[in-house]
Amino acid sequence: MNCGKLTLESMSQAVWYNQWTIKKFEQFLKGDILEVGCGIGNFTSFLTKYGNVWAIDINEQYVTEAKKKVNGKVKIGIGDVEKGNYFFKGQKFDSIVCLNVLEHIKNDGFALKSLYNLLEKGGCLILLVPAHMFLFGKIDKSIGHYRRYNKQQLGDVLKGIGFKIIKARILNMVGAIGWWFASKVLSNGTVGVGKIKLFSLIAPFVLPMEDIIEPPFGTSILIICQK
């Protein structure tokens, strides 16, 4: 069983959450936009209203599925930020979106430097990564996570590369509770459609509170930084 693909397919059902997430950073989307690690295109089609979108992934099957979803509106191809290889040549971007990807990359430091080099001067990198190593469990292992992140430490790494941090915050406390219970207590290895449907029922009533105040913990860290 491909747990990574199962998770992507499950998350495609979380339409409200995906749109809520994009609203957290939409003001930083402009011009030429690159989505790194587009997967099967769960976020890709949402990005097209903000600018000209390119998208890359290292998985040919995912690229094929993502192309079907966007219906020719996005330039999609193979790209590997860990190796610095892309289907395009010489292109620079005003915004780079990297959502739930960095944790899958062994040499994440090199990947971040690659993203820095792909940005235009003044361009923004939008990162969404899993938060808190205390949440690391069977699900993380099964879907290929090398790590979860600490907000302060990741911010320091980005500043060391040359980025200016514009925004950094924790997201999705209710999801973190569910993740901990499923991964640590139930020892589940996947994020199935049933869990996502339950989350999707709860999220619209709970997550808007995070628009007012940052939660003390959550599934994710959102960092927006500028070159």
Side-chain angles (χ1 to χ4, degrees):
M1 178 174 58
N2 185 335
C3 294
K5 188 168 189 295
L6 176 61
T7 299
L8 289 173
E9 290 172 345
S10 298
M11 286 305 299
S12 71
Q13 304 297 311
V15 176
W16 185 91
Y17 175 72
N18 292 341
Q19 292 176 333
W20 178 81
T21 301
I22 286 179
K23 288 184 183 298
K24 292 292 184 185
F25 57 77
E26 64 180 355
Q27 71 187 93
F28 301 99
L29 296 171
K30 63 178 182 178
D32 292 329
I33 301 167
L34 174 65
E35 184 185 13
V36 174
C38 64
I40 60 175
N42 288 343
F43 283 96
T44 313
S45 58
F46 292 129
L47 298 174
T48 56
K49 69 177 183 178
Y50 300 102
N52 305 310
V53 180
W54 281 254
I56 58 173
D57 203 283
I58 62 171
N59 187 304
E60 291 186 15
Q61 182 184 358
Y62 292 174
V63 166
T64 299
E65 292 194 33
K67 283 181 177 179
K68 293 176 183 177
K69 283 188 178 181
V70 300
N71 197 25
K73 295 179 181 178
V74 177
K75 301 177 183 70
I76 302 181
I78 298 295
D80 187 340
V81 294
E82 194 172 12
K83 296 179 179 178
N85 296 328
Y86 316 104
F87 76 93
F88 49 80
K89 301 294 181 184
Q91 179 70 36
K92 296 277 189 175
F93 298 93
D94 301 298
S95 306
I96 295 179
V97 180
C98 185
L99 308 178
N100 297 315
V101 174
L102 196 64
E103 63 275 12
H104 294 275
I105 299 174
K106 188 172 184 179
N107 191 346
D108 57 344
F110 181 84
L112 288 171
K113 291 176 184 176
S114 296
L115 297 179
Y116 183 88
N117 292 331
L118 285 171
L119 276 172
E120 295 278 11
K121 180 68 175 177
C124 286
L125 170 63
I126 298 155
L127 278 177
L128 188 73
V129 297
H132 314 303
M133 276 304 294
F134 71 78
L135 289 175
F136 193 94
K138 191 172 180 179
I139 297 175
D140 293 276
K141 294 174 185 177
S142 71
I143 61 179
H145 288 181
Y146 284 100
R147 67 197 76 81
R148 300 180 75 90
Y149 288 88
N150 172 278
K151 184 173 70 171
Q152 182 64 51
Q153 291 173 354
L154 181 55
D156 289 343
V157 170
L158 290 164
K159 286 186 280 189
I161 292 169
F163 283 107
K164 174 185 176 182
I165 306 298
I166 298 174
K167 180 179 182 180
R169 63 171 292 150
I170 301 292
L171 297 178
N172 192 10
M173 186 169 75
V174 67
I177 295 169
W179 187 280
W180 174 84
F181 188 77
S183 188
K184 295 284 195 175
V185 178
L186 299 180
S187 197
N188 289 168
T190 61
V191 180
V193 174
K195 296 185 184 73
I196 296 303
K197 286 184 176 179
L198 177 60
F199 170 73
S200 295
L201 288 174
I202 298 170
F205 299 98
V206 178
L207 290 184
M209 290 187 288
E210 295 187 12
D211 297 334
I212 302 169
I213 186 169
E214 180 179 2
F217 62 91
T219 56
S220 303
I221 301 165
L222 174 66
I223 294 188
I224 299 162
C225 49
Q226 187 176 42
K227 180 174 179 178

